[in-house]
Each structure stands twice: as structure tokens, then as C-alpha cells.
Amino acid sequence: MLAKTPFIPDKPILIVCGHFGSGKTCVSVALALALKKSGKNVTLVDLDIVNPYFRAADAAELMKANGINCINPEFANTNVDIPSLGAEIHSVFVNAERDPDSVTILDVGGDSGAAALGRYRQMIERAGYNMLFVASKYRPLTDTASAALENLREIEYYSRLRCTHVVNNSNIGDETTQTYVENALDFGRELSELSGLPEAFTSVVKADFCPALAEKYPDKSFFFIDNTTRKLF
Amino acid sequence: MSNKVLMKGNEALAEAAIRNGCLHFFGYPITPQTELAEYMAKRMPKVGGLCLQAESEVAAINMVLGAAATGTRAMTSSSSPGVSLKSEGISYMVGCDLPCLICNVQRGGPGLGGIQPSQQDYYQATKANGHGDLHLYVLAPASVQEMVNLVGRAFDVADTYRTPAMILADGALGQMMEPVDFDAALSEKREIPEKTWATNGTGMKRKRNVINSLYMNPDDLEQSIIDRFERYKKIEENETLWEELYTEDADIVIVSYGITSRICKSAIEMARAEGIKVGLIRPITVWPYPKAAIAKAAETAKQFLVVELNMGQMVDDVKVACECRRPVSFFGRTGGVLPTADDILAEIKKLNGGL
């Protein structure tokens, strides 16, 4: 079901950041699976210290079944909101030096939640990183390219790191149609132009119209991402 | 194509409030409600409104009191422990006949409890949110879109009857993301009586208005309460809302509200597929309570099953509404744990076998 990876990082650390609710976790999980399939040794780190419920730690079983190493905050999905990140995270920077095939995806909390990156900034810079900024036109506070750029700069400010790519993840969840995706293509292009950063890919939350999109827009890279945070209702 | 956006329940509550003319928000952060205040902080300056993080929940509700006294649409939000702190101020607002909107995005209690979703504040919201003879108009939405639809109604009812209104949500609704259409929600407009009581300046043209909940004379206090209860009666008559599903032929009628009702709907479809006649009454207002719907269902249904995220706080309301003519049983999880549709189906089968 999962597409081939649309994005091959050229550095061992792959940071996924963005406005909260922009789809960072779904993008992270999908990328982890795709990169694993392409032969990388993948570690997924849930660095979200702001979101109490829906998070990468929810996908722990799926990750484990696919041979992906997971590192979660000590109190993720418990009844307390203590944003404590374990010492285990340091191991990924050791791996980055030792194993040329390793990729570590850091799934970061939304907006100011990116401050958690600041604590690892020196190690991230030493290891080398790509930083994907995930944005959705259908999130009201980032509904224009300029609003999204403002959010991108805010995240760079909090993390003290620089974004390297943008990801257009414009969707409205289960009700997304092909038209919704097409109507947001300009948004992704404008954000790329305004920020001066290349578009890594356009993610699509439904597999059924991915082929049609790829045929209609051959110069674009579309990537199917499953909704891994879907719950009981 | 409809004009939908993807929002967290907490954000949607904030945006809906702004679109319904709320320009004053006073709050204090608490999980799982904080995104509401965060959204207000970002949006209010852009629409010429005010979002203020108070030094405490007690301060926030009293700022709402002050703002509402001037006739503006004011709002606060919190989660369970924070709403307990606001109770005193809420009672004062009732005593002053001031409209406002309070959102409770419930978490597990008692005490500090936990951050996972819960419906443990049903008693508090419907029976005792503050001291004194009082009711609040309490709405319990079941989706992000319904939250948006009900915010306007909550403000309208609050203004029309001069009462605080409450949106009783829970952590799951506050945190989950669903597509919403704001334009669809704004279609229903009603006439709001002019706020001649507001302390917004006399302009040297009228006597000054006084907003106060203290009465020197017991007879005056009694009369003010009697007048207020006349308004509560009108709210009961005109503003009670509920949804029914398959009640016409149901042997078992589930009564459930908010997020839990959605899990019940899945369980009901599963039971129906197996030939078990189950229906649903979903109170949308939990005060006033849809007594008439329960009483009517009691004429044909054999029994009721209440499903909530608490230890059965709504059971007595169902018993009273059906005058104990039918057995009322309970199934629920508490402390931040959610039942699955399979859990509820198992309970339905147990009851069905016992008939």
C-alpha cells in the first residue's frame, strides 16, 4: 500500500516539523516505513512535548512490526503531561556516526513545541540534518503561503535550526477528495517560492486518487500517507 | 465544493466563538483544553478582540463577569479542575443574570486526576456548578462540526435568557481533528433582545445600571430567583435538544451523549446487524434534560442502557424521566479510559439475553 519513498535524505537526521495538526506524525510514520523499505536503518523518535493524545507513540506496534526502532517520551500516552525526554535519544547521534545507512526521524511537537529540538541542536548540526516543514492549506492559521511561512520562521526561531524542505500536506482528513488536493497545489508551490526551499513532496491521505494525480501532474511528487492516528470514533 | 477546513475541537470552539461575535476571552492553560486559549491568543488581536491569560481560573471567570456586565460576548474555557475553580464566579454570574460561554473540555477526576478524556463532570455541569438555586444551559456536542454549530446557539440562548451557557466537551473532542464547515453553522440567526441592563455608559440619557448579586432584602432575593426560574422554564420549553436513532422499534434504548454516543452508534449498528433491536437517545442539551424523549421511548422500549465515561452520573436523570417504569442499567469506563464498540455490544447482548 505504501508508496516508494519520495524523498531520500542526504543526512542522517531527518526532522519533521510544522504547525500543530499539520500532519507531522502521519508524515513521519509514512516516511519511516518507506525509508525502511528502501533499505535504511530507521529510528523514529517521538519528540512531541506538547500534544497530549495523538502522537507517534501510538504507532509503536506498527513500527516494531516493520523493524523500525522507536524512542518515545517516558510519559507518552499516560495520564500525566510531563514532557520528559529520555537519555536514549542520545544513542541516535552515536548511530549517525557509526552507521552510514541509519536515518533518524525526529517527529517534533507543533509550533513552539520545536523548542525541544534546541536541546539537541549541537548534536543535530554535527551529525547533519534535513528538516521538513509540513504545512496544510486547510489549517486555518496556515491557510496562505505567507501565513505558513510565518509559522516556519517561528519554528526555526524556537528550534534554532533551519528548515531545508517544505512538504505540502493539505487535506481535510477522511473527507479529502482529489479536488481538495488539487486546489492546494498552488499553496505548496507559493510556499516553496516564498521560503526559497524545495518542495520535498505533496502528501496525499487517500491511496485511490494518487495514480490519477501523478498522471495529471507529472512534474510533482505525490506520496500516500496513511492516517495512523485514527482512533475509536 | 464545500468550504471545509481541518481543525482540532479546541481550535474550532475558539474560531466559532469569534465568528459569533465573541471579542473577549479570558483563560488559563490546562490540558486537554490549552489549544483553545492558544488559538484565541493568535486570532483575537487580528479581529480587534482581547485574549487575556489570567493569573488563575478564578481571575479569568471574574474577568468574564466584568466583561459580560458591559454587554459584550465574553467567554472562558478550562478543563475539569479549572472549572471547579470557576464555580464561585459562575454562581455570581447567575446571581447577576449575566450571559457568557464557559467551555469545559473534561479530563479525568477527581482531584488532579489525569489528562485523558472523561465525562465525570456531568453532575457538576447539570446539578451544581456553583452554589445557590441555579441552572446553566449545558450543551454536549458529539463532533467538531457540532461544537461549531452549538457555540452560536449557546451565546444566543445565554443572551436571550441572561444566563451563563456551557459547552460540555471532553478531551477526545477537544483534541481530535475533523473537517468543519463554518459557513454551514452560521445559517441559523435569531433576534437577540437589546441589552438595556448593560453597564456600558449612561451617556447622561438614562439612570445608571447596577450589576450585582447581593440583595439586602430576602423577599427581593426570593423574587429574583422566582423570576429566574420562570426563564429556566422557558429554556426547558424552547431550547431542549436531542437526537434519536432507531427508537421506534427498539427494545433496548441506549442513552448516551458526547463522544461516547459515537461509540454507541457503532455498537448499535453492529447489534442491528445481528437482529437485536437497539436504539439511541442522545441528549444534546444535558440541562435542560430531554425528559419528554425518554418518557416517550419508555412507552415502547423494554429497558434503557446508559453509557457514559463516568460511574453512571446520568442514570438518575433517565430514571426520573421514565418515572422508573423501565429498568435502567449502566455501562461505562472512567478515569480516562474509553470503551470500544465491542465492549458496548457485549453489554447490549447481555441485556438482550436477560429479557
Side-chain angles (χ1 to χ4, degrees), chain B residues 3 12 22 31 33 60 93 100 143 152 156 174 180 193 228 260 277 288 295 321:
Chain B
N3 204 11
C22 173
T31 307
Q33 160 276 168
M93 290 196 75
C100 72
S143 70
D156 286 352
V180 284
R228 195 173 298 121
T260 323
K277 288 180 179 170

Side-chain angles (χ1 to χ4, degrees), chain A residues 14-186:
Chain A
L14 177 57
I15 301 165
V16 181
C17 66
H19 179 40
F20 77 80
S22 60
K24 298 173 295 298
T25 297
C26 291
V27 167
S28 297
V29 167
L31 274 176
L33 291 167
L35 288 169
K36 177 73 191 177
K37 220 170 153 185
S38 75
K40 295 281 187 184
N41 296 325
V42 183
T43 300
L44 175 62
V45 182
D46 180 348
L47 258 194
D48 192 337
I49 55 163
V50 289
N51 198 10
Y53 298 169
F54 305 107
R55 50 191 311 141
D58 296 342
E61 267 177 50
L62 175 68
M63 295 292 97
K64 219 168 146 190
N66 283 278
I68 292 161
N69 182 29
C70 275
I71 301 177
N72 298 319
E74 289 170 317
F75 296 98
N77 286 341
T78 68
N79 230 338
V80 290
D81 43 358
I82 298 173
S84 104
L85 301 164
E88 198 188 351
I89 291 174
H90 289 258
S91 67
V92 304
F93 301 106
V94 178
N95 286 345
E97 276 181 29
R98 285 188 189 158
D99 175 7
D101 285 331
S102 82
V103 176
T104 297
I105 300 173
L106 303 180
D107 179 21
V108 185
D111 304 340
S112 56
L117 284 169
R119 193 244 168 278
Y120 305 102
R121 183 179 66 104
Q122 287 179 331
M123 284 173 276
I124 290 169
E125 284 183 333
R126 200 180 310 132
Y129 69 98
N130 294 115
M131 181 147 138
L132 305 183
F133 175 75
V134 180
S136 167
K137 176 187 161 72
Y138 302 111
R139 295 281 295 138
L141 295 182
T142 60
D143 58 353
T144 62
S146 59
L149 183 67
E150 201 180 309
N151 185 244
L152 183 155
R153 295 287 178 238
E154 186 191 352
I155 286 165
E156 289 183 333
Y157 169 80
Y158 280 113
S159 65
R160 295 180 282 149
L161 295 164
R162 291 278 170 198
C163 293
T164 60
H165 298 77
V166 295
V167 170
N168 184 1
N169 185 41
S170 300
N171 73 83
I172 58 160
D174 291 345
E175 292 179 32
T176 307
T177 60
Q178 186 173 331
T179 317
Y180 271 101
V181 179
E182 289 184 72
N183 287 351
L185 291 178
D186 281 346

Side-chain angles (χ1 to χ4, degrees), chain B residues 29-328:
Chain B
I30 179 170
T31 307
Q33 160 276 168
T34 303
E35 294 84 1
L36 200 168
E38 266 186 275
Y39 190 89
M40 286 292 195
K42 284 187 174 137
R43 278 279 283 147
M44 276 299 197
K46 291 184 178 161
V47 297
L50 172 74
C51 169
L52 196 149
Q53 180 177 324
E55 66 270 36
S56 70
E57 287 87 347
V58 177
I61 189 68
N62 284 293
M63 290 173 184
V64 171
L65 189 155
T70 70
T72 187
R73 282 193 162 174
M75 172 181 176
T76 187
S77 66
S78 192
S79 180
S80 310
V83 176
S84 293
L85 284 166
K86 290 180 197 292
S87 295
E88 181 198 49
I90 293 170
S91 170
Y92 275 64
M93 290 196 75
V94 173
C96 296
D97 292 317
L98 287 173
C100 72
L101 176 61
I102 304 141
C103 292
N104 182 359
V105 183
Q106 297 169 88
R107 55 186 261 171
L112 212 43
I115 64 169
Q116 299 294 329
S118 136
Q119 295 177 323
Q120 287 184 66
D121 303 345
Y122 180 88
Y123 279 154
Q124 187 194 46
T126 61
K127 317 271 186 242
N129 214 325
H131 60 280
D133 278 322
L134 63 82
H135 292 294
L136 306 179
Y137 183 62
V138 188
L139 294 152
S143 70
V144 178
Q145 180 69 53
E146 193 176 39
M147 280 172 145
V148 166
N149 299 350
L150 293 179
V151 162
R153 189 183 182 94
F155 272 119
D156 286 352
V157 169
D159 280 345
T160 305
Y161 303 93
R162 294 183 65 181
T163 176
M166 174 177 275
I167 299 267
L168 187 66
D170 70 275
L173 278 170
Q175 292 295 327
M176 69 197 291
M177 295 189 70
E178 289 188 313
V180 284
D181 185 344
F182 284 96
D183 300 330
L186 286 174
S187 55
E188 186 196 324
K189 276 268 169 242
R190 65 164 92 185
E191 285 293 315
I192 306 295
E194 205 194 328
K195 294 177 177 176
T196 52
W197 45 264
T199 53
N200 52 0
T202 62
M204 308 294 253
K205 284 181 187 130
R206 59 163 170 81
K207 267 178 65 182
R208 68 195 177 100
N209 286 330
V210 176
I211 305 270
N212 182 24
S213 68
L214 175 67
Y215 289 81
M216 305 299 276
N217 180 341
D219 291 327
D220 292 345
L221 176 56
E222 184 188 45
Q223 192 54 51
S224 80
I225 296 167
I226 290 169
D227 292 347
R228 195 173 298 121
F229 271 70
E230 284 300 317
R231 297 206 301 279
Y232 288 152
K233 215 172 122 190
K234 288 206 179 90
I235 295 177
E236 288 189 88
E237 284 163 14
N238 302 329
E239 311 292 351
T240 307
L241 298 174
W242 71 92
E243 182 198 350
E244 288 186 37
L245 182 72
Y246 303 134
T247 43
E248 312 80 31
D249 69 339
D251 292 327
I252 303 170
V253 170
I254 292 182
V255 189
S256 184
Y257 56 92
I259 195 72
T260 323
S261 67
R262 290 171 65 161
I263 311 173
C264 289
K265 279 186 183 175
S266 306
I268 288 167
E269 294 301 341
M270 288 153 76
R272 287 257 160 192
E274 293 185 32
I276 309 171
K277 288 180 179 170
V278 191
L280 174 75
I281 295 177
R282 175 172 76 90
I284 299 172
T285 52
V286 285
W287 197 92
Y289 197 74
K291 290 179 201 154
I294 305 277
K296 185 163 165 275
E299 286 168 16
T300 50
K302 293 182 180 134
Q303 57 180 312
F304 291 95
L305 169 64
V306 173
V307 184
E308 296 175 274
L309 301 182
N310 58 40
M311 292 299 282
Q313 297 188 16
M314 190 174 63
V315 169
D316 286 349
D317 281 342
V318 178
K319 283 184 178 170
V320 168
C322 75
E323 294 169 337
C324 294
R325 281 180 291 162
R326 301 281 177 249
V328 181

